[in-house]
């Protein structure tokens, strides 16, 4: 249930307090009154009020002085000054000290309510902006941590060195007291690297059987988090308790769809990792798994060319990701900083515009991060596909709103016959594929042109296609487009991107047992199609 917005009315006129309280309560506000500045300070010392209505002439303190004191304690409070003796000097003084409005008594109820409504709307925009900025900062911290670990593991193909560096970075970035990795070897989990794990604890968990907590994580291929370790009957947890650790979290290390080990972290204070922290730790585990895979490739490589390609792939990842993340971050930071300027006042329309831009760019940033996480899962073979029988029409209907928003300046045409058989798919993932293909068509076709989504059955499965009337794609790019980071030449590109979208589409379609391809000629548009088996 939404909490009522609260108003404090401060006036030495009992009649005005009674009438004002009745009017405001009738409008659904929570109302408190005070006949003096001392009473107001007492009440605001106990809680926050959204709005303070202050008489400029109080028996124990000037209203403007009370205004300054209240705003110093509660900067987000909307203050409205009232006076029976209006003057330019009082008006200027009140507004300079932070009042939202200055009204002359007797004030019409509708006028007062209108000012309160505008003040609360401004306050809500401030709170929403702050929430978006906090969320952005959190996402930014997670991205920086992930990129930091990724950069750390990319600096060398010496596995012990990579392991030590990555575990140190995990401990530093996630504020845990110890981090370590066990790898499956000959039916046991063997400690391969650790950071700040006490010597005795490391010795006790050097080689662990598969019947304890590490074995469960390995078998289930899912994280386990313990906020307060008991330790009874488990080798690893008992060793941690004896060494003074109180909390534990472990995530599986997966390579090629198989669990190959476990990464664990521990803290000396009780701490239960949040779901977002666990997801971040899991993503870091994938980076370490990739580092191990890279080390294997290094050992297996027979030529300097193979090594250069491996190194270039990681460098390209960092370059592309850093560039694409910088654009939305810059936009969000710019608009947020403008809104938080104490000496600049924006009208409501401008506030809405700025907040909408921040929200849009935050969504773009979240999508970039999601693409990286999905790509990581695809490479690790851990992308979860939950299949249920669905028709293509049902899948499209679920994302119709997204498609309409993408094609506001184009003509979207849907051609899906009613007799198309159902397919066993993860409708959310296939919806992502369709959204990505439509978005690509929008990028590379002129406004007003048609974008067509159609489906038909060829006897072996269902074929879904997205076609446009855009600039087309040279034949030499038809296969390469589905590789990581592949993009059209600069002369043909219209909007930026990470170059991961079509690669992710291919991974999702192939995870369903289908395939994806493109038919196109320069200047004649493009048609992207993918197949889904009906059995």
């Amino acid at each position: 249930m939404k909490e009522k917005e609260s108003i404090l009315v401060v006036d030495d006129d009992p009649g005005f307090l009674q009438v004002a309280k009745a009017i405001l309560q009738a409008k659904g506000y929570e109302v408190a009154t005070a006949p003096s500045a001392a009473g107001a300070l007492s009440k605001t010392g106990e809680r926050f009020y959204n709005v303070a209505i202050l008489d400029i002439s109080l028996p124990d303190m000037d209203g403007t002085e009370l205004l300054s004191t209240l705003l110093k304690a509660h900067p987000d409070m909307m203050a409205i000054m009232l006076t029976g003796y209006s003057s330019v000097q009082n008006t200027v003084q009140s507004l300079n000290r932070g009042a939202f409005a200055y009204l002359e008594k007797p004030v019409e109820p509708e006028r007062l309510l209108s000012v309160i409504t505008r003040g609360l709307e401004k306050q809500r925009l401030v709170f929403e902006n702050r929430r978006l900025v906090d969320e952005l900062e959190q996402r930014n911290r997670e991205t920086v941590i992930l990129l930091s670990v990724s950069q750390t593991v990319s600096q060398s193909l010496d596995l012990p060195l990579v392991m030590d560096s990555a575990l140190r970075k995990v401990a530093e970035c996630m504020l845990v007291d110890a981090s370590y990795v066990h790898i499956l070897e000959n039916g046991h989990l063997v400690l391969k690297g650790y950071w700040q794990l006490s010597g005795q604890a490391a010795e006790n968990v050097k080689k662990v059987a598969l019947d304890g907590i590490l074995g469960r994580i390995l078998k289930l291929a899912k994280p386990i988090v313990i906020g307060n370790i008991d330790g009874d009957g488990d080798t690893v947890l008992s060793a941690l308790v004896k060494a003074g650790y109180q909390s534990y979290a472990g995530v599986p290390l997966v390579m090629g769809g198989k669990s190959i080990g476990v990464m664990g972290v521990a803290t000396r204070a009780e701490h239960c990792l949040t779901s977002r922290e666990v997801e971040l730790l899991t993503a870091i585990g994938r980076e370490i798994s990739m580092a191990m895979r890279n080390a294997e490739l290094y050992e297996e490589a027979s030529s300097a060319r193979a090594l250069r390609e491996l190194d270039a792939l990681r460098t390209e990842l960092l370059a592309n990701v850093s560039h694409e993340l910088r654009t939305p971050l810059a936009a969000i930071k710019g608009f947020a900083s403008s809104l938080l300027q104490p000496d600049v006042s924006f009208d409501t329309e401008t506030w809405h515009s700025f907040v909408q831009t921040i929200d849009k760019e935050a969504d773009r940033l979240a999508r970039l991060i999601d693409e990286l996480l999905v790509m990581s899962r695809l490479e690790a073979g851990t992308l979860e596909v939950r299949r249920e029988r669905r028709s293509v029409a049902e899948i499209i209907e679920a994302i119709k709103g997204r498609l309409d928003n993408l094609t506001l300046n184009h003509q979207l045409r849907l051609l899906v016959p009613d007799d198309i058989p159902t397919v066993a798919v993860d409708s959310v993932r296939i919806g992502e594929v369709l959204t990505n293909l439509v978005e690509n068509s929008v990028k590379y076709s002129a406004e007003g042109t048609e974008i067509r989504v159609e489906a038909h059955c060829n006897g072996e499965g269902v074929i879904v296609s997205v076609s446009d009337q855009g600039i087309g794609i040279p034949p030499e790019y038809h296969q390469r487009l589905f590789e990581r980071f592949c993009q059209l030449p600069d002369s043909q590109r219209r909007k930026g991107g990470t170059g991961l979208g079509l690669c992710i589409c291919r991974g999702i379609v192939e995870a369903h047992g289908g395939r994806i391809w493109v038919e196109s000629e320069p200047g004649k548009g493009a048609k992207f199609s993918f197949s889904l088996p009906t059995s």
Side-chain angles (χ1 to χ4, degrees):
M1 184 176 178
K2 184 179 178 181
E3 187 176 346
K4 286 185 177 180
E5 289 167 315
S6 56
I7 299 176
L8 174 64
V9 185
V10 185
D11 199 300
D12 59 354
D13 181 350
F16 176 78
L17 291 180
Q18 184 178 6
V19 172
K21 184 173 183 178
I23 291 173
L24 295 174
Q25 284 181 333
K27 290 296 182 179
Y29 296 114
E30 180 185 345
V31 184
T33 61
S36 64
L41 292 173
S42 175
K43 288 182 179 294
T44 55
E46 298 171 355
R47 57 163 295 175
F48 169 78
Y49 289 89
N50 298 92
V51 177
I53 301 174
L54 311 176
D55 187 8
I56 202 166
S57 298
L58 296 170
D60 54 347
M61 183 185 292
D62 183 78
T64 56
E65 293 181 18
L66 176 60
L67 168 67
S68 298
T69 303
L70 291 181
L71 291 182
K72 185 176 180 180
H74 303 288
D76 294 322
M77 180 184 289
M78 292 288 112
I80 300 171
M81 303 301 295
L82 298 179
T83 182
Y85 308 98
S86 178
S87 72
V88 173
Q89 182 181 356
N90 284 341
T91 303
V92 172
Q93 187 178 21
S94 297
L95 296 177
N96 284 342
R97 292 194 179 191
F100 174 71
Y102 186 94
L103 301 176
E104 185 177 352
K105 290 182 177 179
V107 60
E108 291 292 331
E110 291 304 320
R111 171 66 172 153
L112 179 60
L113 290 170
S114 175
V115 172
I116 291 172
T117 299
R118 287 192 290 108
L120 289 173
E121 184 175 1
K122 178 180 178 180
Q123 187 181 74
R124 292 183 202 109
L125 288 170
V126 170
F127 289 162
E128 176 65 9
N129 175 67
R130 189 172 298 150
R131 184 192 67 78
L132 289 170
V133 170
D134 289 343
E135 183 176 336
L136 167 67
E137 289 177 350
Q138 175 63 25
R139 289 185 181 277
N140 189 31
R141 282 193 295 269
E142 294 173 358
T143 304
V144 168
I145 291 172
L146 191 55
L147 288 176
S148 178
V149 173
S150 178
Q151 189 173 26
T152 297
V153 301
S154 72
Q155 291 175 345
S156 173
L157 290 172
D158 182 340
L159 189 55
L161 179 62
V162 166
M163 197 79 74
D164 287 344
S165 299
L167 291 174
R168 181 183 73 249
K169 189 64 69 174
V170 169
E172 291 173 351
C173 294
M174 299 201 67
L175 302 178
V176 295
D177 296 307
S179 55
Y180 44 95
V181 165
H182 285 82
I183 300 299
L184 183 62
E185 289 184 359
N186 300 320
H188 287 80
L189 285 161
V190 180
L191 186 66
K192 287 295 185 179
Y194 60 90
W195 180 256
Q196 291 189 337
L197 185 65
S198 67
Q200 189 57 51
E203 184 64 29
N204 291 340
V205 298
K206 185 175 290 185
K207 188 175 182 179
V208 181
L210 300 180
D211 56 357
I213 188 169
L214 297 190
R216 293 204 303 276
I217 295 172
L218 193 76
K219 182 179 179 180
L220 297 174
K222 292 183 178 179
I224 291 181
V225 178
I226 303 176
N228 187 8
I229 302 173
D230 184 323
D232 289 344
D234 186 275
T235 303
V236 173
L237 298 181
S238 296
L240 291 176
V241 170
K242 289 178 182 177
Y245 299 101
Q246 295 190 49
S247 69
Y248 168 82
V251 298
L253 300 179
V254 180
M255 184 189 299
K258 295 182 180 180
S259 297
I260 60 169
V262 176
M263 179 174 68
V265 297
T267 64
R268 295 191 179 278
E270 291 185 20
H271 175 61
C272 188
L273 268 66
T274 65
S275 58
R276 290 186 66 165
E277 288 175 323
V278 172
E279 185 173 354
L280 178 59
L281 192 64
T282 303
I284 292 172
R286 295 190 195 102
E287 290 292 329
I288 292 178
S289 298
M290 290 175 62
M292 295 175 62
R293 177 56 179 161
N294 289 347
E296 286 185 3
L297 292 175
Y298 174 72
E299 294 177 357
E300 297 170 357
S302 58
S303 68
R305 178 182 176 184
L307 295 177
R308 287 195 300 271
E309 289 177 352
L310 191 61
D311 185 60
L313 187 62
R314 180 69 69 183
T315 302
E316 189 176 9
L317 169 64
L318 294 173
N320 275 273
V321 170
S322 299
H323 173 76
E324 293 302 328
L325 289 176
R326 193 176 296 115
T327 301
L329 280 174
I332 294 170
K333 180 62 177 175
F335 281 102
S337 297
S338 298
L339 290 174
L340 294 175
Q341 289 295 321
D343 56 344
V344 180
S345 179
F346 298 100
D347 57 52
T348 300
E349 183 177 352
T350 302
W351 271 87
H352 276 296
S353 176
F354 280 18
V355 172
Q356 285 173 351
T357 300
I358 291 172
D359 188 54
K360 178 181 177 182
E361 293 298 327
D363 287 342
R364 180 181 174 190
L365 180 63
R367 180 174 178 183
L368 290 172
I369 295 172
D370 287 342
E371 283 187 349
L372 290 171
L373 293 175
V374 171
M375 195 71 240
S376 178
R377 293 189 185 104
L378 283 170
E379 290 185 336
T382 60
L383 183 70
E384 189 174 3
V385 176
R386 300 177 178 178
R387 300 193 187 196
E388 294 180 315
R389 297 211 73 85
R390 290 283 187 273
S391 68
V392 175
E394 289 176 320
I395 297 172
I396 293 175
E397 183 60 30
I399 60 169
K400 183 64 164 51
R402 270 187 281 164
L403 299 185
D404 287 339
N405 286 334
L406 287 172
T407 57
L408 285 175
N409 297 319
H410 294 73
Q411 301 176 37
L412 178 63
R413 190 175 182 188
L414 304 176
L415 299 174
V416 182
D418 294 333
D419 59 352
I420 295 291
T422 60
V423 286
V425 295
D426 185 324
S427 58
V428 173
R429 294 296 185 192
I430 296 302
E432 292 172 358
V433 173
L434 276 168
T435 301
N436 194 297
L437 295 180
V438 170
E439 185 175 24
N440 275 352
S441 291
V442 168
K443 287 180 182 179
Y444 294 100
S445 57
E447 292 185 4
T449 57
E450 181 182 275
I451 293 175
R452 178 180 300 185
V453 179
E454 54 190 325
H456 69 275
C457 185
N458 66 354
E460 299 178 359
V462 172
I463 308 298
V464 183
S465 301
V466 176
S467 55
D468 59 58
Q469 299 170 338
I471 60 176
I473 302 168
E476 62 268 27
Y477 281 90
H478 287 191
Q479 293 298 323
R480 293 173 54 195
L481 274 177
F482 299 99
E483 298 173 0
R484 288 190 302 182
F485 310 124
C486 180
Q487 296 177 329
L488 292 176
D490 291 340
S491 60
Q492 292 184 286
R493 293 179 64 188
R494 295 194 174 184
K495 295 185 180 180
T498 60
L500 292 176
L502 289 176
C503 183
I504 291 173
C505 288
R506 183 185 68 180
I508 292 173
V509 170
E510 290 180 351
H512 285 80
R515 67 183 186 92
I516 188 169
W517 66 95
V518 62
E519 303 166 72
S520 178
E521 291 181 27
K524 297 185 179 181
K527 181 179 182 180
F528 284 85
S529 304
F530 61 91
S531 63
L532 296 170
T534 52
S535 58

